[in-house]
Amino acid sequence: MPKYGKWIGAGLGFAMGGPLGALLGIFIGSIFDNTSRINIDPQQQNSLNTNSGRGDFMFSLIVLATAIMKADGRIMRSELDYVKEFFKHNFGLEATREAMSMIKELSKKDIPITDVCQQIRYNMASAARTQLLYFLFGIAKADGSVSTDELQVMENISNALGIDYNTFLSIKSMYYDDLNSAYQVLGTNSSASNEEIKKAYRKMVMENHPDKVGHLGEDIRKAAEDKITQINLAYEKIKKQRNIN
């Protein structure tokens, strides 16, 4: 069994085929020599498994994280450190070593971002795809700012993953600390009424409830709880400014 076999045991399913499978084949050798010839047909999405496994989620994260870090032409040490600490905190040392080895190899390859995102889109539930985007913004911001190139890649990824633009703006705004960003986190703006603000807050909490990604593992669920914390902080900032009870 190749050294990356534990990714298979972690619940890899759809990522063993299509463009993700071709990238995975870099690490696990001849076992998946034929994966690059397995194609995902977007027209057959009803036949695909939308309850993706933990391994699918994690490998998708590694591939897209590498694409984000490469977006501005170089991979920053701060970005690598962020990814390393993220995996170590959430998944342990062994998973971290494997993840960093994968990133090292992927950084030398051309990643077909659109094809990868389409494969994820038609195989992964909406809540999990949104959680992916949340993690990717954290990686992009690891060096202190999100470059124009990184932001464009993030928007392209969001579109290809089938994430609506308001959700993209909401997640983006979680990484900027001002009142306007607080409104965008809730998917609204300063012209909204207090009742509209409350309604938007309830909608965001419902759509981003941690239970929706609970099947990916307790660690992913806790990360989703962090996102709920950001939504709550944005709501509290607006409530304080407006004196909403």
Side-chain angles (χ1 to χ4, degrees), residues 22-23 27 40 54 91 102 116 118 121 159 182 185 214 230:
L23 292 170
F27 311 103
I40 297 297
R54 175 185 174 86
F91 310 121
M102 289 181 175
V116 166
Q118 287 181 348
R121 175 177 181 173
N159 288 336
V185 167
Q230 294 298 318

Side-chain angles (χ1 to χ4, degrees), residues 2 4 6 29 47 50 56-58 68 72 82 89 98 123 131 155 173 182 204 206 210:
Y4 297 98
K6 288 196 175 181
S47 66
T50 56
D56 295 320
F57 181 91
M58 292 171 70
I68 287 293
D72 55 4
Y82 178 94
H89 175 75
E98 292 186 5
N123 287 275
Q131 189 66 41
E155 187 168 346
S173 298
M204 288 298 295
M206 180 180 68

